[in-house]
Amino acid sequence: MRMVFKLGLVALMLQACSSCSPTTRLVITGESLIGLGDQFVATSQLMDIGLDAKTITKEQYKTWSTFGKRFQQVYPVAVQLWDSSRAVGDTVTEGHAAEILTTLTAELAEFYSVINRANITKDIGNAVLNTGDK
Amino acid sequence: MQYSTLETNNTMEQIIVNLVLAVTSAIPDVIKAVKASTVLNTEEKEALLNALSDRLHKSVEEVKAVKFKDVDNE
């Protein structure tokens, strides 16, 4: 089941739109990248809470930190690719941005899973992220 | 972002449901934007992409602003 996630919901959405217009693909990739960025920030807040509450181990946090620092380098590259793709109308470049999006989403999902198992809950704006097992 | 939790009996299923909801939280925005992109004229599409670009760059700043704790020195 986990592998299904790794292959990714976002990838599915993008692949389903392989014949869409360049504008539509840019909209999908762009909105998805924003969603991924939001998810990264939210996950970061939850990992900090989990570490403070000792429901996340130091080792788990170190793994998260390593991934997070790489994410902070790779995410802007994906956005740059999106910008380039838009500027020159190049669908190949947009495809690279989508690939990065898919990879980062799969990796971030693993940490989201850790948070779920640790049963961490936090109010984020008007929404509540409930991660506890019932 | 909009999150919710569905009641399930299986732990793995619960994790998966939450994950799906979290990862796909942007989908309503995507659907709305995609619908808009198919009916807009060239100028409006350009404006849509400009707004999206601005939000993307704001997102990059938010991602870069995330700090990590130094667990070895705490």
Side-chain angles (χ1 to χ4, degrees):
Chain A
M1 283 298 271
R2 202 171 176 198
M3 197 61 199
V4 174
F5 276 109
K6 287 199 168 194
L7 294 174
L9 297 160
V10 177
L12 194 66
M13 192 165 62
L14 288 167
Q15 283 165 11
C17 199
S18 58
S19 59
C20 294
S21 73
T23 301
T24 299
R25 280 194 63 88
L26 280 170
V27 167
I28 291 174
T29 310
E31 289 285 356
S32 300
L33 279 168
I34 290 168
L36 177 64
D38 287 346
Q39 191 59 42
F40 173 77
V41 173
T43 303
S44 169
Q45 293 171 349
L46 291 168
M47 290 299 277
D48 284 353
I49 290 169
L51 181 69
D52 291 342
K54 298 191 184 336
T55 50
I56 298 288
T57 67
K58 284 187 176 183
E59 283 308 309
Q60 285 174 318
Y61 192 89
K62 278 162 81 172
T63 307
W64 157 250
S65 175
T66 302
F67 164 75
K69 286 169 186 169
R70 192 168 65 80
F71 187 102
Q72 287 178 314
Q73 293 176 329
V74 175
Y75 184 75
V77 173
V79 173
Q80 276 179 353
L81 286 169
W82 187 92
D83 275 333
S84 302
S85 170
R86 183 191 168 197
V88 299
D90 176 14
T91 54
V92 175
T93 309
E94 185 274 333
H96 290 322
E99 283 171 20
I100 292 174
L101 169 68
T102 305
T103 304
L104 290 179
T105 300
E107 291 183 50
L108 186 61
E110 292 183 20
F111 294 102
Y112 200 81
S113 230
V114 169
I115 289 168
N116 264 291
R117 287 195 295 270
N119 194 20
I120 304 165
T121 303
K122 177 179 169 40
D123 290 329
I124 299 173
N126 293 326
V128 176
L129 178 57
N130 283 322
T131 61
D133 298 334
K134 300 289 177 187
Chain B
M1 290 187 295
Q2 185 66 51
Y3 298 95
S4 62
T5 301
L6 301 180
E7 298 276 345
T8 63
N9 295 323
N10 180 289
T11 301
M12 181 54 75
E13 187 182 344
Q14 180 67 56
I15 290 169
I16 288 167
V17 165
N18 278 327
L19 188 55
V20 168
L21 290 168
V23 174
T24 59
S25 63
I27 283 181
D29 288 339
V30 175
I31 291 169
K32 203 165 122 189
V34 168
K35 279 184 182 169
S37 74
T38 58
V39 295
L40 299 177
N41 63 34
T42 306
E43 275 184 18
E44 289 167 332
K45 280 182 183 175
E46 195 64 18
L48 175 73
L49 291 177
N50 281 340
L52 191 51
S53 178
D54 288 345
R55 287 172 55 216
L56 272 167
H57 286 278
K58 187 179 167 218
S59 176
V60 167
E61 293 310 311
E62 287 171 355
V63 164
K64 282 182 175 175
V66 168
K67 304 285 183 210
F68 300 97
K69 297 184 179 187
D70 184 358
V71 290
D72 288 328
N73 293 317
E74 281 192 350

